[in-house]
Amino acid sequence: MIRLPFLEDTTPPPFYRADLTDAKRTELDRWFIGLRSQKYYLKRFEEFDRAGQMHPRWNWAAFFCTFGWLLYRKRYLDCLVYCVAGWSFIKVTIAITLVVLEFAVISFLPQEYQMAVRVLVGVMIWLFWSSQVARWADAYYYRMARREIADVLDFYPRNKDEQKMHLRREGGTSLFGMSVAFGIFGVILAIIVGQFVPIIAMQKEQSVIFESYRSAKAVQKRVEQIYNTTQKCPIDLPVSVDNQRVSMVVVDKAEGVQTDCAVMATVSGSGYPVRYLNGETLVIYHYVDYKGQSVWRCQTSLNKKRHPKSCV
């Protein structure tokens, strides 16, 4: 069974004071835990005391926000160690796993699945680590409580007021810690939104534009063959594409261009972060130039930075 390395598997648990009565131990626990979630942690502490050792129990707060939970519970130094050592370990593990899988598996997969597999591997490793932390978070907090209680009984064996003051100072919850956690979350979210989302959006944008142009060009080839044969624009030609993000129609008139036949593609159904592409159009239209030659050209509503090279 996987356990956190600093949690000893001993009976009785570390720092356990067998000389305390149940009532006295509960009183000290209440002072250390504080008012928030007191009933929950008292129940967990009683389970560990009764079992004579620590064992895994699930903690949702530690699963979703380990460092925020540590800050809220005044475990500032432990939070720093977790962020530096724990996150570094996760990143190294992800990097090594991806390098191995890149040569063994990922490089043999179709191109469109490779990035999804990389992301999935990283998420699975992160979730595994988070689940282990969540399973042992209550045992860790119990160990901290027993250590602080053992210290306070050694420092102030007969001074109840000092015991209470010490445990409330070292335990309980911290609004400052919670504020710092929310602040860090805000900074991380701002970095993601400001730096990484635009990169992802640019890649998705190019993918949508390229697929739209490719689909429209394929339909235009069909329309051109029919037009050259019949000298009529097949406006009733059914157009179907696998890419649901593009809707297309064959028309004999198009706004802004002089044509008797055109394929009009409209982006639709694009989700975040490229929803702004919805409604953008790409028109591949036919016209006769001044030499009397039949020519097909492309025009798009996209700006110069975004439009395909063959469109104006």
Side-chain angles (χ1 to χ4, degrees), residues 184-196:
I184 294 175
F185 271 127
V187 172
I188 294 175
L189 184 61
I191 292 174
I192 293 174
V193 172
Q195 299 296 325
F196 294 102

Side-chain angles (χ1 to χ4, degrees), residues 224-243:
E224 183 179 4
Q225 292 177 353
I226 297 173
Y227 183 87
N228 291 338
T229 302
T230 64
Q231 295 301 308
K232 294 182 180 180
C233 184
I235 57 176
D236 297 327
L237 179 69
V239 179
S240 61
V241 293
D242 296 331
N243 180 12

Side-chain angles (χ1 to χ4, degrees), residues 9 44 58 61 68 73 83 93 98 105 141-142 165 184 200 211 215 218 228 243-244 253 263 265 279 298 306:
D9 187 10
R44 287 287 183 260
W58 191 264
R73 286 290 162 181
C83 292
T93 303
L98 286 177
V105 178
Y141 194 56
Y142 169 82
M165 185 181 302
I184 294 175
I200 297 173
E211 290 176 6
S215 300
N228 291 338
N243 180 12
Q244 298 300 317
K253 295 180 181 180
V263 177
C298 176
R306 295 172 177 166

Side-chain angles (χ1 to χ4, degrees), residues 1-10 13-14 40-41 44-45 48 51-63 66 69-70 75 78 82 127-145:
M1 180 173 57
I2 299 175
R3 62 186 299 119
L4 298 184
F6 51 83
L7 294 178
E8 301 91 334
D9 187 10
T10 60
Y40 170 84
Y41 286 110
R44 287 287 183 260
F45 289 6
F48 297 143
Q53 65 180 100
M54 296 177 290
H55 47 269
R57 283 290 183 269
W58 191 264
N59 187 307
W60 283 109
F63 175 75
T66 305
W69 175 74
L70 288 169
R75 304 295 97 195
D78 293 338
Y82 169 79
L127 289 177
F128 174 78
W129 173 257
S130 298
S131 66
Q132 294 307 310
V133 172
R135 291 176 71 239
W136 291 101
D138 288 345
Y140 154 79
Y141 194 56
Y142 169 82
R143 185 187 188 281
M144 296 298 102

Side-chain angles (χ1 to χ4, degrees), residues 14-308:
F15 308 109
Y16 180 80
R17 295 291 293 263
D19 56 316
L20 294 176
T21 64
D22 291 341
K24 180 61 176 178
R25 184 177 290 107
T26 300
E27 181 182 45
L28 294 170
D29 285 341
R30 290 181 185 276
W31 293 342
F32 178 80
I33 295 169
L35 296 177
R36 299 295 298 177
S37 303
Q38 186 180 98
K39 184 178 180 179
Y40 170 84
Y41 286 110
L42 285 176
K43 180 181 178 181
R44 287 287 183 260
F45 289 6
E46 184 180 355
E47 288 179 6
F48 297 143
D49 288 337
R50 192 185 313 116
Q53 65 180 100
M54 296 177 290
H55 47 269
R57 283 290 183 269
W58 191 264
N59 187 307
W60 283 109
F63 175 75
F64 285 112
C65 181
T66 305
F67 83 94
W69 175 74
L70 288 169
L71 288 175
Y72 183 58
R73 286 290 162 181
K74 297 184 179 179
R75 304 295 97 195
Y76 304 123
L77 182 59
D78 293 338
C79 180
L80 179 62
V81 173
Y82 169 79
C83 292
V84 175
W87 288 356
S88 298
F89 174 78
I90 296 172
K91 291 176 183 177
V92 171
T93 303
I94 292 175
I96 294 175
T97 304
L98 286 177
V99 168
V100 173
L101 291 179
E102 194 72 32
F103 290 98
V105 178
I106 296 177
S107 59
F108 299 100
L109 296 175
Q111 186 71 32
E112 59 268 25
Y113 298 125
Q114 292 184 7
M115 182 56 67
V117 171
R118 296 186 187 104
V119 173
L120 180 62
V121 169
V123 170
M124 293 300 293
I125 292 175
W126 191 282
L127 289 177
F128 174 78
W129 173 257
S130 298
S131 66
Q132 294 307 310
V133 172
R135 291 176 71 239
W136 291 101
D138 288 345
Y140 154 79
Y141 194 56
Y142 169 82
R143 185 187 188 281
M144 296 298 102
R146 292 291 168 265
R147 186 190 66 184
E148 293 295 343
I149 289 173
D151 287 344
V152 83
L153 292 175
D154 290 338
F155 296 156
Y156 318 105
R158 301 183 182 280
N159 193 327
K160 188 174 181 178
D161 291 337
E162 289 292 342
Q163 292 174 1
K164 186 176 183 179
M165 185 181 302
H166 179 96
L167 290 175
R168 285 186 170 178
R169 182 175 65 249
E170 297 299 326
T173 57
S174 170
L175 292 177
F176 169 77
M178 184 173 64
S179 300
V180 171
F182 276 111
I184 294 175
F185 271 127
V187 172
I188 294 175
L189 184 61
I191 292 174
I192 293 174
V193 172
Q195 299 296 325
F196 294 102
V197 170
I199 296 175
I200 297 173
M202 185 179 299
Q203 295 175 342
K204 286 186 173 293
E205 176 186 281
Q206 293 300 317
S207 175
V208 172
I209 293 173
F210 175 75
E211 290 176 6
S212 301
Y213 176 75
R214 184 179 60 181
S215 300
K217 192 67 177 177
V219 173
Q220 179 265 321
K221 292 294 184 182
R222 293 169 52 197
V223 171
E224 183 179 4
Q225 292 177 353
I226 297 173
Y227 183 87
N228 291 338
T229 302
T230 64
Q231 295 301 308
K232 294 182 180 180
C233 184
I235 57 176
D236 297 327
L237 179 69
V239 179
S240 61
V241 293
D242 296 331
N243 180 12
Q244 298 300 317
R245 291 180 296 187
V246 182
S247 59
M248 290 192 295
V249 63
V250 180
V251 297
D252 55 4
K253 295 180 181 180
E255 184 178 354
V257 295
Q258 185 175 356
T259 182
D260 59 352
C261 193
V263 177
M264 180 178 296
T266 304
V267 179
S268 61
S270 291
Y272 180 84
V274 291
R275 284 194 294 261
Y276 55 84
L277 289 178
N278 291 331
E280 298 287 355
T281 59
L282 183 148
V283 180
I284 302 179
Y285 62 96
H286 171 264
Y287 82 104
V288 178
D289 64 11
Y290 68 96
K291 295 181 180 180
Q293 296 179 339
S294 181
V295 181
W296 291 84
R297 286 192 174 179
C298 176
Q299 177 174 290
T300 177
S301 61
L302 296 168
N303 59 36
K304 292 182 179 181
K305 292 182 178 180
R306 295 172 177 166
H307 67 67

